[in-house]
Amino acid sequence: DAMVIQNPRYQVTQFGKPVTLSCSQTLNHNVMYWYQQKSSQAPKLLFHYYDKDFNNEADTPDNFQSRRPNTSFCFLDIRSPGLGDAAMYLCATSRVAGEEQFFGPGTRLTVL
Amino acid sequence: SQQGEEDPQALSIQEGENATMNCSYKTSINNLQWYRQNSGRGLVHLILIRSNEREKHSGRLRVTLDTSKKSSSLLITASRAADTASYFCATESNFGNEKLTFGTGTRLTIIP
């Protein structure tokens, strides 16, 4: 089945230790999104790609970076995680920007 | 903030009853979407309604949109225990910025 896959599902890192979360999709969608979701809150968009065009949200901290080496894969790099970065990180795709989004199961990040 | 608001924040009903959730938003939109999120999981798209539509149905779901009031409602009829989840509305503004803005969510609990 076509889907959005996120690895790992659970990630534990230490304060300040870089971490990379990955997302892959078999839907061949042009647009990929990274969201941060804290407990009982709405997903907050960090950035998105339209094909290779990168779009950063104005309030996304510089600590967060992203790479999309090809259509199928997208990575979220957190260069120096702080305690406040502990959250669920959701990857999503859409065929057309602004239309239905397909979400992965998320990666739960814990920062010790 | 451009984030939408949902009402109520939490809702508990008996199985078999109908559940209604409301969403208000701030900007002019191209479309409004509803998503479901089970605890600790990714979001699942339920339904999309465009700005020129007033009502849409999908199975036990009924969505209405009132662009003059900048509001939408999601009705789930004949609720089931499996409907227990958080429900989020999300809007695509007509600024052409390719992204969704999520509301604060309603936590729905169905009591068997």
Side-chain angles (χ1 to χ4, degrees):
Chain A
D1 289 339
M3 58 193 338
V4 181
I5 301 164
Q6 290 188 244
N7 285 304
R9 293 291 314 280
Y10 301 91
Q11 176 72 58
V12 179
T13 191
Q14 292 181 335
F15 183 94
K17 185 175 181 181
V19 66
T20 295
L21 310 182
S22 72
C23 176
S24 64
Q25 55 132 339
T26 61
L27 298 161
N28 203 32
H29 283 171
N30 291 327
V31 195
M32 293 188 78
Y33 306 83
W34 277 107
Y35 291 90
Q36 178 193 65
Q37 186 180 29
K38 296 188 176 180
S39 181
S40 301
Q41 294 184 19
K44 177 181 180 297
L45 184 65
L46 296 173
F47 19 62
H48 74 280
Y49 284 88
Y50 195 104
D51 287 331
K52 294 183 179 180
D53 292 335
F54 176 71
N55 298 271
N56 197 32
E57 292 301 295
D59 57 354
T60 298
D62 292 340
N63 198 25
F64 290 83
Q65 304 285 320
S66 183
R67 297 170 282 136
R68 189 180 186 185
N70 54 53
T71 300
S72 300
F73 286 87
C74 196
F75 300 96
L76 170 61
D77 301 308
I78 308 176
R79 292 190 295 187
S80 182
L83 298 179
D85 297 327
M88 175 75 87
Y89 290 87
L90 297 164
C91 174
T93 73
S94 65
R95 188 181 60 83
V96 176
E99 299 278 315
E100 175 185 359
Q101 292 188 11
F102 294 79
F103 282 79
T107 294
R108 171 75 64 186
L109 178 68
T110 300
V111 181
L112 301 177
Chain B
S1 168
Q2 298 300 307
Q3 189 176 65
E5 292 186 1
E6 295 186 54
D7 171 56
Q9 290 188 339
L11 177 63
S12 292
I13 61 172
Q14 295 288 335
E15 191 169 19
E17 293 181 341
N18 296 341
T20 300
M21 290 159 269
N22 302 296
C23 168
S24 60
Y25 57 90
K26 297 179 181 178
T27 65
S28 296
I29 62 170
N30 286 330
N31 69 64
L32 184 144
Q33 303 175 36
W34 285 90
Y35 289 80
R36 183 187 76 231
Q37 185 178 34
N38 291 89
S39 181
R41 307 288 298 187
L43 282 74
V44 175
H45 182 267
L46 296 176
I47 199 164
L48 180 153
I49 186 165
R50 301 193 186 279
S51 60
N52 61 352
E53 298 176 307
R54 291 297 167 258
E55 187 170 313
K56 205 161 183 180
H57 297 255
S58 177
R60 294 184 296 113
L61 306 180
R62 173 177 168 255
V63 169
T64 62
L65 178 64
D66 187 335
T67 53
S68 67
K69 296 181 179 178
K70 291 186 168 59
S71 68
S72 173
S73 68
L74 169 67
L75 169 67
I76 304 173
T77 60
S79 63
R80 304 168 181 170
D83 296 328
T84 294
S86 292
Y87 291 82
F88 292 91
C89 67
T91 54
E92 187 209 8
S93 78
N94 62 3
F95 299 145
N97 58 6
E98 305 177 339
K99 63 183 184 181
L100 298 181
T101 301
F102 282 83
T104 50
T106 293
R107 175 68 189 168
L108 175 65
T109 301
I110 308 299
I111 303 166

